[in-house]
């Protein structure tokens, strides 16, 4: 093939990324992707590096070889994202759309906080073909979506490197993924109904300690529907970068909720933490802005006092109840 214009060039699809377009083009010329990249005049360049940042010169080279406009070429890159967000970009679509061709990979579908196909408007599926509305139930999913939208807006601003107000995405994720309680085996609600024999057979499962994270406090809906062994998420930003569809959605909802009311959620998490876990939560909150930390301290001791008063009252009520009961049967 000479250095002129390629005879056949596919038009990039809506929101298609460069690596996807190159992987569709290469087989037409019976080439590998790297051979095709070389044929574009960019020998030895990695297509994933190119789609992250394409210099003006490289973009012009591809435009000249393909007849695509330089804008159309640049639109296939992630140039609108800041460097912190690169770890969030998957190599291919994270979660499939049932209507998109399998070999088409869109920029939107590489990010972990997108839950709808930008072209077909339908929910992405997980590896088993299940949607989030299947998993949560339609009503519950609808209620969570509002929080997911504010979480996603915050994540978008962070990914673009724009100012995000007081509280940054990494600082929120550190709280969501903090181990607020000691790891513990599946509790009764988390265990499937089992016969005595099954319980013996599944002894290992029933005694496996599960990591307990603040995400389950901020998004109890996730705690209820997530399979117990797949409930823990990775720490910090990795939770999103490497999460399942369900985990990424729960994290996005959690980010939305915390951004909407950081003080309330920090206190809710601390109130149900054990002593060691509370230390860990306090440590990650110490990275939050001072004004928020002040409000949290001011409200936390009151919340803790109210909580212990409530527990004392509850205990007294229980005792009265049992006295009455004992009196009646004697
Ligand atoms: Zn689609």
């Amino acid at each position: 093939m000479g250095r002129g214009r390629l005879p056949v060039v596919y038009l990039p699809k809506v929101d298609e990324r460069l690596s996807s377009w190159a992987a569709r083009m290469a087989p037409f010329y019976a080439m590998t992707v790297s051979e095709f990249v070389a044929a574009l005049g960019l020998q030895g360049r990695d297509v994933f590096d190119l789609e992250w940042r394409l210099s003006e010169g490289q973009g012009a080279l591809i435009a000249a070889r393909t007849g695509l406009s330089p804008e159309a070429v640049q639109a296939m890159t992630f140039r609108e994202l800041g460097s912190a967000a690169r770890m969030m970009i998957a190599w291919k679509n994270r979660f499939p759309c049932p209507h998109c061709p399998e070999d088409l990979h869109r920029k939107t579908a590489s990010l972990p906080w997108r839950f709808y196909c930008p072209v077909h408007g339908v929910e992405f599926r997980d590896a088993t073909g299940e949607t989030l509305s299947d998993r949560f139930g339609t009503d519950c999913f609808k209620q969570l979506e509002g929080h997911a939208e504010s979480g996603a807006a915050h994540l978008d601003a962070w990914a673009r490197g724009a100012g995000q107000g007081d509280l940054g995405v990494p600082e929120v994720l550190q709280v969501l993924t903090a181990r607020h309680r000691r790891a513990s085996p599946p509790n009764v609600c988390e265990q499937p109904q089992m016969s005595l024999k099954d319980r013996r057979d599944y002894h290992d499962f029933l005694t496996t300690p599960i990591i307990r994270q603040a995400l389950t406090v901020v998004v109890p809906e996730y705690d209820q529907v997530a399979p117990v062994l797949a409930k823990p998420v990775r720490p910090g930003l990795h939770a999103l970068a490497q999460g399942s569809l369900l985990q990424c959605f729960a994290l996005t909802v959690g980010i939305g909720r915390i951004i909407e009311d950081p003080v309330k959620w920090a206190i809710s998490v601390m109130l149900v933490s054990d002593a060691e876990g509370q230390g860990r939560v306090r440590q990650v909150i110490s990275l939050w802005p001072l004004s928020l930390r002040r409000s949290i301290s001011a409200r936390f001791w009151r919340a803790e006092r109210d909580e212990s008063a409530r527990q004392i009252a509850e205990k007294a009520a229980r005792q009265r109840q049992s006295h009455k009961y004992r009196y009646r049967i004697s």
Side-chain angles (χ1 to χ4, degrees), residues 34-57:
S34 50
E35 285 166 351
F36 179 70
V37 168
L40 292 172
L42 295 164
Q43 186 151 23
R45 300 293 178 155
D46 181 78
V47 75
F48 293 101
D49 288 338
L50 291 171
E51 76 176 350
W52 170 247
R53 288 291 187 269
L54 205 52
S55 72
E56 234 173 88

Side-chain angles (χ1 to χ4, degrees), residues 97-101 106 117-122 124:
C97 159
H99 306 307
C100 282
R106 302 187 202 272
C117 171
V119 172
H120 300 104
V122 298
F124 289 142

Side-chain angles (χ1 to χ4, degrees), residues 281-300:
V281 173
R282 280 178 187 280
Q283 205 176 348
V284 289
I285 284 177
S286 71
L287 304 169
W288 285 18
L290 182 62
S291 58
L292 285 178
R293 275 170 12 229
R294 283 203 177 121
S295 313
I296 292 166
S297 320
R299 272 171 53 186
F300 179 65

Side-chain angles (χ1 to χ4, degrees), residues 116 123-124 130-142 145 245 249:
Y116 284 93
E123 279 182 66
F124 289 142
E130 191 183 56
T131 64
L132 291 163
S133 358
D134 295 338
R135 170 64 54 169
F136 285 102
T138 313
D139 290 347
C140 178
F141 178 61
K142 285 259 168 325
E145 271 195 300
L245 177 64
F249 182 73

Side-chain angles (χ1 to χ4, degrees), residues 1 15 28 30 139 145-146 183 185 203 207 215 241 244 259 283 301:
M1 207 158 39
D15 195 39
F28 181 86
D139 290 347
E145 271 195 300
H203 180 262
T207 52
L215 172 64
S244 67
I259 294 303
Q283 205 176 348
W301 76 266

Side-chain angles (χ1 to χ4, degrees), residues 76 142 254 269:
M76 290 192 280
K142 285 259 168 325
V269 169

